[in-house]
Amino acid sequence: MPTSVEILEKLIAFDTVSRTPNRSLIDYVRGLLDQAGIESILVEDDAGHCANLYATVGGSDSGGVMLSGHTDVVPVTGQAWTVDPFKMTQRDGKLYGRGTTDMKGFVACAIRAAIDAANRPLATPLHLALSYDEEIGCVGVRRLLDMLDAAPVKPAMCIVGEPTELVVANGHKGKTAARAICTGLSVHSALAPTGVNAIQIGAAFIEMLRRVQEEIAASAAKDDAYDIPYTTVHAGIIAGGTALNIVPNECRIDFEIRNIQSDDPAAILRRIEEEAQTIAQNFGEGAGISIDVVNSYPGLDTPLDADIIRFVQSLTGANSTTKIAFGTEGGLFSNRLGIPTVVCGPGSMAQGHKPDEFITVDQMAKCDRMLNALVERLAA
């Protein structure tokens, strides 16, 4: 049986940047599972270029524990890597490569654990769920959710292996990604006052987002388990105009809401929409702002007294919990399917999405021990 580090080395070699095919990686994983006698199901995208993989070890007539991870990674373009990002480099107790921490390290450990479990007479099943295009809004896993939603028996618990340094995370914020299209009226820039400048409308829109954020930070609900304890509103992309001597008639702004559990993102979005209409009216005839939601996923807020918290803590040997700033598919498993879920995986997101991303050999070993303990419990 290959070690988790050996599996990780293979996984890193597959360039699975989001929106690109992941089938080569999935075929590799499926081959490993086949050799261990583990059947797997593929849930593909429409073109068949990307696929989720779902496999069960042990009987499927009882819930069991699901290990969930994504196979896509963020781009390396524009980053100053000192090693080949798609070839694992081991140095000074660290394993370098794109996705080592986020989150092929956990995926490698989970595959190894599934292969190990196939040699045991499990009393409770172990499920492996690998998804695609998580980094762009948990896109691929939604097809897997459709399959599980129709299944007669669902997993009783889910561990999402995003990097938490193996601390049990019981929550993360939800996310709503939206695009505002600010429209104006083009004229020659020499006659600028007779037109309506869409970039100026966009600037007013961004200023309004900043004001909404300040009000939320000052007076809205807070959850001190987060580093940023309140809901955040953030504009990340702006584009508009075609030439300096043309008053622009369109400006596009991509923005997001990352909400704590007690805040309703739909209500915040409605307020933004209302404020946007006021802005457009203030610019007069020819001005407009339309807003469309591009993607969203719910937050995760598993109660601290839930059985899964104590169960996973018993596997790691630690009693602490945390909440993480970034999102995962965990909120979808919990909210849509009612599967109690926590996030717990090796590595730190402090290394994720950066050049020379790495995970330590020690963290990989600790994750192996946690999943070894899980297999022992499922066999008991």
Side-chain angles (χ1 to χ4, degrees), residues 54-68 110 114 122 124-129 148 153-157 378:
Y54 189 78
T56 297
V57 182
S60 58
D61 57 347
S62 62
V65 177
M66 178 168 62
L67 303 177
S68 178
L122 296 189
T124 305
L126 176 68
H127 310 279
L128 180 64
L148 290 175
V153 179
K154 299 174 180 60
M157 295 180 178
L378 298 181

mmCIF file of all heavy atoms in Angstrom, residues 54-68 110 114 122 124-129 148 153-157 378:
data_model
loop_
_atom_site.group_PDB
_atom_site.id
_atom_site.type_symbol
_atom_site.label_atom_id
_atom_site.label_comp_id
_atom_site.label_asym_id
_atom_site.label_seq_id
_atom_site.Cartn_x
_atom_site.Cartn_y
_atom_site.Cartn_z
ATOM 1 N N TYR A 54 -17.103 9.125 -5.490
ATOM 2 C CA TYR A 54 -17.693 8.710 -4.217
ATOM 3 C C TYR A 54 -17.478 7.211 -4.064
ATOM 4 O O TYR A 54 -17.787 6.428 -4.962
ATOM 5 C CB TYR A 54 -19.185 9.024 -4.182
ATOM 6 C CG TYR A 54 -19.824 8.825 -2.822
ATOM 7 C CD1 TYR A 54 -19.654 9.774 -1.825
ATOM 8 C CD2 TYR A 54 -20.591 7.695 -2.544
ATOM 9 C CE1 TYR A 54 -20.240 9.606 -0.580
ATOM 10 C CE2 TYR A 54 -21.178 7.523 -1.309
ATOM 11 C CZ TYR A 54 -20.995 8.482 -0.321
ATOM 12 O OH TYR A 54 -21.567 8.318 0.917
ATOM 13 N N ALA A 55 -16.926 6.831 -2.934
ATOM 14 C CA ALA A 55 -16.646 5.416 -2.677
ATOM 15 C C ALA A 55 -17.023 5.070 -1.249
ATOM 16 O O ALA A 55 -16.921 5.916 -0.348
ATOM 17 C CB ALA A 55 -15.169 5.113 -2.915
ATOM 18 N N THR A 56 -17.454 3.838 -1.050
ATOM 19 C CA THR A 56 -17.830 3.353 0.277
ATOM 20 C C THR A 56 -17.071 2.072 0.575
ATOM 21 O O THR A 56 -17.018 1.158 -0.256
ATOM 22 C CB THR A 56 -19.343 3.091 0.362
ATOM 23 O OG1 THR A 56 -20.048 4.324 0.174
ATOM 24 C CG2 THR A 56 -19.728 2.502 1.713
ATOM 25 N N VAL A 57 -16.468 2.028 1.766
ATOM 26 C CA VAL A 57 -15.791 0.833 2.249
ATOM 27 C C VAL A 57 -16.634 0.278 3.393
ATOM 28 O O VAL A 57 -16.943 0.991 4.347
ATOM 29 C CB VAL A 57 -14.371 1.146 2.750
ATOM 30 C CG1 VAL A 57 -13.673 -0.139 3.191
ATOM 31 C CG2 VAL A 57 -13.566 1.853 1.666
ATOM 32 N N GLY A 58 -16.986 -1.000 3.311
ATOM 33 C CA GLY A 58 -17.867 -1.583 4.320
ATOM 34 C C GLY A 58 -19.312 -1.518 3.859
ATOM 35 O O GLY A 58 -19.629 -0.974 2.807
ATOM 36 N N GLY A 59 -20.212 -2.068 4.669
ATOM 37 C CA GLY A 59 -21.621 -2.102 4.316
ATOM 38 C C GLY A 59 -22.198 -0.710 4.158
ATOM 39 O O GLY A 59 -21.806 0.230 4.849
ATOM 40 N N SER A 60 -23.133 -0.576 3.224
ATOM 41 C CA SER A 60 -23.740 0.731 2.958
ATOM 42 C C SER A 60 -25.132 0.858 3.560
ATOM 43 O O SER A 60 -25.873 1.779 3.236
ATOM 44 C CB SER A 60 -23.823 0.962 1.442
ATOM 45 O OG SER A 60 -24.574 -0.076 0.819
ATOM 46 N N ASP A 61 -25.512 -0.086 4.439
ATOM 47 C CA ASP A 61 -26.861 -0.046 4.999
ATOM 48 C C ASP A 61 -26.924 0.744 6.306
ATOM 49 O O ASP A 61 -27.963 0.822 6.943
ATOM 50 C CB ASP A 61 -27.386 -1.470 5.221
ATOM 51 C CG ASP A 61 -26.468 -2.299 6.116
ATOM 52 O OD1 ASP A 61 -25.322 -1.859 6.342
ATOM 53 O OD2 ASP A 61 -26.897 -3.375 6.563
ATOM 54 N N SER A 62 -25.798 1.323 6.725
ATOM 55 C CA SER A 62 -25.806 2.208 7.895
ATOM 56 C C SER A 62 -24.995 3.446 7.565
ATOM 57 O O SER A 62 -24.185 3.445 6.636
ATOM 58 C CB SER A 62 -25.223 1.497 9.123
ATOM 59 O OG SER A 62 -23.869 1.136 8.896
ATOM 60 N N GLY A 63 -25.193 4.504 8.309
ATOM 61 C CA GLY A 63 -24.685 5.812 7.937
ATOM 62 C C GLY A 63 -23.199 5.912 7.691
ATOM 63 O O GLY A 63 -22.725 6.201 6.597
ATOM 64 N N GLY A 64 -22.416 5.685 8.736
ATOM 65 C CA GLY A 64 -20.975 5.760 8.593
ATOM 66 C C GLY A 64 -20.431 7.176 8.565
ATOM 67 O O GLY A 64 -21.166 8.155 8.766
ATOM 68 N N VAL A 65 -19.136 7.290 8.302
ATOM 69 C CA VAL A 65 -18.422 8.565 8.335
ATOM 70 C C VAL A 65 -17.893 8.867 6.942
ATOM 71 O O VAL A 65 -17.278 8.016 6.304
ATOM 72 C CB VAL A 65 -17.266 8.528 9.343
ATOM 73 C CG1 VAL A 65 -16.482 9.841 9.315
ATOM 74 C CG2 VAL A 65 -17.786 8.252 10.751
ATOM 75 N N MET A 66 -18.128 10.094 6.481
ATOM 76 C CA MET A 66 -17.673 10.527 5.168
ATOM 77 C C MET A 66 -16.476 11.464 5.309
ATOM 78 O O MET A 66 -16.505 12.412 6.103
ATOM 79 C CB MET A 66 -18.808 11.238 4.415
ATOM 80 C CG MET A 66 -18.416 11.775 3.053
ATOM 81 S SD MET A 66 -19.842 12.302 2.060
ATOM 82 C CE MET A 66 -20.519 13.624 3.086
ATOM 83 N N LEU A 67 -15.431 11.192 4.538
ATOM 84 C CA LEU A 67 -14.272 12.073 4.438
ATOM 85 C C LEU A 67 -14.394 12.841 3.131
ATOM 86 O O LEU A 67 -14.459 12.248 2.056
ATOM 87 C CB LEU A 67 -12.973 11.265 4.443
ATOM 88 C CG LEU A 67 -12.750 10.341 5.642
ATOM 89 C CD1 LEU A 67 -11.449 9.555 5.473
ATOM 90 C CD2 LEU A 67 -12.734 11.133 6.943
ATOM 91 N N SER A 68 -14.455 14.171 3.210
ATOM 92 C CA SER A 68 -14.713 14.987 2.030
ATOM 93 C C SER A 68 -13.542 15.911 1.736
ATOM 94 O O SER A 68 -12.998 16.553 2.642
ATOM 95 C CB SER A 68 -15.985 15.829 2.241
ATOM 96 O OG SER A 68 -16.226 16.670 1.132
ATOM 97 N N ALA A 110 -6.720 10.546 3.186
ATOM 98 C CA ALA A 110 -8.035 9.904 3.150
ATOM 99 C C ALA A 110 -8.033 8.695 2.215
ATOM 100 O O ALA A 110 -8.649 7.660 2.513
ATOM 101 C CB ALA A 110 -9.093 10.916 2.717
ATOM 102 N N ALA A 114 -8.770 4.849 3.287
ATOM 103 C CA ALA A 114 -9.788 4.008 2.646
ATOM 104 C C ALA A 114 -9.191 2.674 2.207
ATOM 105 O O ALA A 114 -9.814 1.608 2.366
ATOM 106 C CB ALA A 114 -10.387 4.750 1.456
ATOM 107 N N LEU A 122 -15.163 -3.810 8.536
ATOM 108 C CA LEU A 122 -15.734 -2.638 9.190
ATOM 109 C C LEU A 122 -17.149 -2.922 9.689
ATOM 110 O O LEU A 122 -17.987 -3.468 8.969
ATOM 111 C CB LEU A 122 -15.775 -1.449 8.228
ATOM 112 C CG LEU A 122 -14.442 -0.901 7.720
ATOM 113 C CD1 LEU A 122 -14.680 0.407 6.969
ATOM 114 C CD2 LEU A 122 -13.445 -0.697 8.847
ATOM 115 N N THR A 124 -18.923 -0.287 10.694
ATOM 116 C CA THR A 124 -19.571 0.939 10.229
ATOM 117 C C THR A 124 -18.809 1.419 9.007
ATOM 118 O O THR A 124 -17.581 1.426 9.005
ATOM 119 C CB THR A 124 -19.524 2.031 11.327
ATOM 120 O OG1 THR A 124 -20.115 1.502 12.519
ATOM 121 C CG2 THR A 124 -20.268 3.272 10.898
ATOM 122 N N PRO A 125 -19.513 1.822 7.936
ATOM 123 C CA PRO A 125 -18.818 2.150 6.688
ATOM 124 C C PRO A 125 -18.029 3.457 6.740
ATOM 125 O O PRO A 125 -18.327 4.375 7.504
ATOM 126 C CB PRO A 125 -19.944 2.241 5.661
ATOM 127 C CG PRO A 125 -21.174 2.515 6.454
ATOM 128 C CD PRO A 125 -20.977 1.840 7.771
ATOM 129 N N LEU A 126 -17.025 3.518 5.862
ATOM 130 C CA LEU A 126 -16.248 4.725 5.633
ATOM 131 C C LEU A 126 -16.514 5.164 4.198
ATOM 132 O O LEU A 126 -16.449 4.366 3.270
ATOM 133 C CB LEU A 126 -14.748 4.438 5.814
ATOM 134 C CG LEU A 126 -13.791 5.595 5.500
ATOM 135 C CD1 LEU A 126 -13.948 6.709 6.521
ATOM 136 C CD2 LEU A 126 -12.347 5.097 5.469
ATOM 137 N N HIS A 127 -16.831 6.439 4.022
ATOM 138 C CA HIS A 127 -17.124 6.984 2.695
ATOM 139 C C HIS A 127 -16.039 7.989 2.311
ATOM 140 O O HIS A 127 -15.559 8.751 3.154
ATOM 141 C CB HIS A 127 -18.477 7.691 2.668
ATOM 142 C CG HIS A 127 -19.606 6.883 3.237
ATOM 143 N ND1 HIS A 127 -20.258 5.907 2.517
ATOM 144 C CD2 HIS A 127 -20.181 6.920 4.465
ATOM 145 C CE1 HIS A 127 -21.205 5.372 3.286
ATOM 146 N NE2 HIS A 127 -21.168 5.972 4.463
ATOM 147 N N LEU A 128 -15.691 7.995 1.032
ATOM 148 C CA LEU A 128 -14.729 8.947 0.494
ATOM 149 C C LEU A 128 -15.427 9.773 -0.575
ATOM 150 O O LEU A 128 -15.987 9.232 -1.533
ATOM 151 C CB LEU A 128 -13.534 8.207 -0.109
ATOM 152 C CG LEU A 128 -12.428 9.061 -0.732
ATOM 153 C CD1 LEU A 128 -11.744 9.922 0.324
ATOM 154 C CD2 LEU A 128 -11.405 8.162 -1.439
ATOM 155 N N ALA A 129 -15.427 11.102 -0.405
ATOM 156 C CA ALA A 129 -16.082 12.009 -1.356
ATOM 157 C C ALA A 129 -15.065 13.036 -1.839
ATOM 158 O O ALA A 129 -14.572 13.852 -1.050
ATOM 159 C CB ALA A 129 -17.264 12.707 -0.691
ATOM 160 N N LEU A 148 -26.474 12.090 -3.336
ATOM 161 C CA LEU A 148 -26.643 11.683 -1.945
ATOM 162 C C LEU A 148 -28.043 11.991 -1.439
ATOM 163 O O LEU A 148 -28.588 11.259 -0.607
ATOM 164 C CB LEU A 148 -25.601 12.384 -1.072
ATOM 165 C CG LEU A 148 -24.150 11.926 -1.258
ATOM 166 C CD1 LEU A 148 -23.210 12.791 -0.426
ATOM 167 C CD2 LEU A 148 -24.001 10.459 -0.873
ATOM 168 N N VAL A 153 -29.747 5.795 2.211
ATOM 169 C CA VAL A 153 -28.997 5.968 3.458
ATOM 170 C C VAL A 153 -27.892 6.987 3.217
ATOM 171 O O VAL A 153 -27.153 6.886 2.239
ATOM 172 C CB VAL A 153 -28.380 4.632 3.934
ATOM 173 C CG1 VAL A 153 -27.591 4.844 5.227
ATOM 174 C CG2 VAL A 153 -29.467 3.579 4.148
ATOM 175 N N LYS A 154 -27.805 7.961 4.085
ATOM 176 C CA LYS A 154 -26.789 8.997 3.967
ATOM 177 C C LYS A 154 -25.743 8.822 5.065
ATOM 178 O O LYS A 154 -26.024 8.230 6.115
ATOM 179 C CB LYS A 154 -27.427 10.384 4.073
ATOM 180 C CG LYS A 154 -28.444 10.683 2.981
ATOM 181 C CD LYS A 154 -29.132 12.006 3.232
ATOM 182 C CE LYS A 154 -30.144 12.302 2.130
ATOM 183 N NZ LYS A 154 -31.201 11.284 2.012
ATOM 184 N N PRO A 155 -24.534 9.323 4.858
ATOM 185 C CA PRO A 155 -23.551 9.278 5.933
ATOM 186 C C PRO A 155 -24.085 9.926 7.204
ATOM 187 O O PRO A 155 -24.834 10.912 7.148
ATOM 188 C CB PRO A 155 -22.372 10.070 5.360
ATOM 189 C CG PRO A 155 -22.517 9.942 3.875
ATOM 190 C CD PRO A 155 -23.993 9.932 3.622
ATOM 191 N N ALA A 156 -23.694 9.372 8.336
ATOM 192 C CA ALA A 156 -24.149 9.913 9.615
ATOM 193 C C ALA A 156 -23.312 11.099 10.060
ATOM 194 O O ALA A 156 -23.764 11.925 10.858
ATOM 195 C CB ALA A 156 -24.108 8.821 10.688
ATOM 196 N N MET A 157 -22.081 11.174 9.568
ATOM 197 C CA MET A 157 -21.179 12.261 9.924
ATOM 198 C C MET A 157 -20.288 12.579 8.731
ATOM 199 O O MET A 157 -20.064 11.735 7.872
ATOM 200 C CB MET A 157 -20.268 11.879 11.105
ATOM 201 C CG MET A 157 -20.961 11.635 12.417
ATOM 202 S SD MET A 157 -19.735 11.194 13.689
ATOM 203 C CE MET A 157 -20.809 11.019 15.133
ATOM 204 N N LEU A 378 -14.256 2.445 13.432
ATOM 205 C CA LEU A 378 -15.275 1.906 12.521
ATOM 206 C C LEU A 378 -15.229 0.383 12.475
ATOM 207 O O LEU A 378 -16.245 -0.265 12.162
ATOM 208 C CB LEU A 378 -15.087 2.485 11.126
ATOM 209 C CG LEU A 378 -15.245 3.998 10.985
ATOM 210 C CD1 LEU A 378 -15.061 4.428 9.537
ATOM 211 C CD2 LEU A 378 -16.597 4.474 11.508
#
